[in-house]
Amino acid sequence: MALVEVKVPDIGDFDEVSVIELLVKPGDTVKAEQSLVTVESDKASMEIPSSKAGVVKDLKVKLGDKVKQGSVLLVLEGAETASAPAAPTPVSAPTPAPAQPAPVAGASTGIEIHVPDIGDFKDVAVIELLVKPGDTVKVEQSLLTVESDKASMEIPSSAGGLVKEIKVKLGDKVNVGDLIAVLEGSAAAEPVVLPATATPAAPAGRVPPTVALQPHESATTPGQLPHASPSVRKFARELGVPLEEVKGTAPKGRITQEDVQAFTKAVMKGEAGTRAGGGKTPAGSGEALGLLPWPKVDFAKFGPIERKDIGRIRKISGANLHRNWVMIPHVTNHDDADVTDLEAFRVQLNKENDRAGKAADDAGVKVTMLAFLIKACVAALKKFPDFNASLDGDQLVLKQYYHIGFAADTPGGLVVPVIKDADKKGILQISQEMGELAKKARDGKLGPADMSGAGFTISSLGGIGGRYFTPIINAPEVAILGVCKSRMEPVWDGEQFQPRLMLPLSLAWDHRVIDGATAARFNAYLGAILADFRRTML
Ligand code: CAO
């Protein structure tokens, strides 16, 4: 039987993208054009189709792998034509970003912004207008979002200025060269070369939020990922619909937008799925859980009020936090770590870095306690591997990598960027990466890859204050460390009180996986490391 390697076709300007879904497994029979994997960059997600039909013999990639054009995805057996090179598969491997001159500067009529080269995308629908007349836009600022059935992408402005007119409306179909907006103002008169920017099909949350709090009969076989296009995934995530619980009505069980809508309606009516006891699935209001309805109050009766929409990030993180709070039996252990010596070392290190930075005509990296905490947690996770784990049915998945998430406060809400392979990095590198990720977070530029893969998370309020708090575990992780501001305290050394700098720690853990005694030991070990960082070398 002929064996054929199926490779990643031309995916435009995407250098390296992460595999976020495997849509087939060895033994599956696939047709030509059937989607094999979903890949995602910080800008877009897209499905890569098979260029041949056959039986999957060997998968050459796994979740999290980085691939680029030419990477082998899998080997097919019995493929139609073994000799012909795998043709690029335009339908499902969109080329979102080849650069092309986009705007034409009109002398008196303003600057026209046209759809740049968007690869194989034709007749793509405008699904979002991101600016309106009167707005001031910068070069590269996204003007609108377009979407095909395979990916969505943002079309950036190739010039800066004041938006005079928007030439398209929601639902319009656009193609390369179509006029989308007219600007007035500061832009250069020369055409600017700009790529179309593919936008994340996934929003900022790294775990699809879910509205249903009770287990349903799953529409997907366990271990198998739901089959849906990026746009449907995005739609589902926006609504907080767990795709694995939606039954797909399209061929091969593919989930359509209508399926997601139908699911939402059913949940709202309390009809989706039934509990083991035969009751209705909760509708999110609390009533279906047998709780009192949420109080409805006319607040304006009591004084002036203002209504404000909840932002996208907050909605997504809120849905995740709600699920985690309800579904995980949390317990929190509080403790203190003596960081007197570590803090003295940190201050000294920053002084040295500052001097070195000045000498090198470059700002030195600033080290905060959080970088040491990340490193100390890696040591504690190595000693207590159950804390670097996830529950998967009856199994515990123990991770042998040490990716540490840290909660970052942004104007839009809470996000959790991840320091990957923290065990292999020094304090300065961790500090530098943290600084970069925190900046990206504040600028709203974190991509899904920046926020995925954590095995354990730290939420530090040390720069703000407080003593202790009860952080919510970031599922599917099983523990999270909350840290507050250190302060000088009198500590009894057996003979007298000594002034020591004490760091408050709050370790929240999933009682399905961890017990109180282990959590207390984890905190004690972490405290010992923070008190004497040389222990990380042991
Ligand atoms: N004790 C005392 N001081 C501390 C400290 C601690 N535990 N941790 C940080 N500090 C100090 C820093 O040294 C820094 O001091 P200087 O300004 O004098 O240099 C100051 O506090 C500010 O630190 P920072 O917050 O800028 O830096 P960080 O590395 O500690 O944290 C980041 C970075 C991104 C995690 C943080 O800015 C942030 O967003 N924190 C909020 C996280 C959050 O919201 N958690 C709650 C989640 S639950 O809703």
Side-chain angles (χ1 to χ4, degrees), residues 346 366 368 370 407-409 434 459-463 484-486 503:
R346 187 189 73 85
K366 182 181 159 190
T368 64
L370 188 51
D409 185 28
M434 248 168 43
S459 178
S460 172
L461 294 172
C484 284
K485 199 176 179 71
S486 53
L503 180 72

Side-chain angles (χ1 to χ4, degrees), residues 154-278:
E154 287 173 17
I155 305 286
S157 181
S158 44
L162 191 75
V163 180
K164 235 173 103 181
E165 260 184 285
I166 298 286
K167 294 288 194 184
V168 290
K169 55 186 188 322
L170 288 182
D172 279 2
K173 299 273 163 83
V174 294
N175 286 294
V176 176
D178 285 355
L179 178 61
I180 49 178
V182 179
L183 304 186
E184 177 176 79
S186 63
E190 282 177 21
V192 184
V193 174
L194 256 197
T197 311
T199 197
R206 61 196 173 124
V207 185
T210 167
V211 286
L213 307 177
Q214 294 292 318
H216 297 189
E217 191 188 319
S218 174
T220 315
T221 318
Q224 187 195 325
L225 286 154
H227 185 191
S229 71
S231 57
V232 171
R233 283 173 201 290
K234 182 178 177 224
F235 181 58
R237 276 188 285 241
E238 280 169 358
L239 293 177
V241 168
L243 265 187
E244 59 281 3
E245 297 189 24
V246 179
K247 206 165 172 48
T249 55
K252 296 204 175 144
R254 188 168 52 81
I255 299 164
T256 62
Q257 185 154 328
E258 287 69 29
D259 295 332
V260 175
Q261 280 163 338
F263 179 89
T264 314
K265 277 187 199 152
V267 169
M268 294 314 287
K269 287 189 198 154
E271 287 169 358
T274 52
R275 293 195 231 173

Side-chain angles (χ1 to χ4, degrees), residues 475-497:
E477 295 156 35
V478 294
I480 181 168
L481 181 71
V483 182
C484 284
K485 199 176 179 71
S486 53
R487 72 174 183 196
M488 258 322 163
E489 284 177 15
V491 175
W492 186 251
D493 70 0
E495 288 174 5
Q496 56 186 330
F497 282 106

Side-chain angles (χ1 to χ4, degrees), residues 84-104:
T89 40
V91 210
S92 45
T95 315
Q100 83 143 35
V104 177

Side-chain angles (χ1 to χ4, degrees), residues 321 343 346 350 366-371 373 406-410 414 434 438 442 458-464 469 471-472 483-487 501-504:
L321 291 164
E343 175 63 8
R346 187 189 73 85
N350 277 336
K366 182 181 159 190
V367 178
T368 64
M369 190 53 75
L370 188 51
L373 277 159
F406 64 97
D409 185 28
T410 76
L414 188 67
M434 248 168 43
R442 283 191 300 272
I458 303 177
S459 178
S460 172
L461 294 172
I464 304 167
F469 66 112
I472 297 180
V483 182
C484 284
K485 199 176 179 71
S486 53
R487 72 174 183 196
L501 188 67
M502 303 305 287
L503 180 72

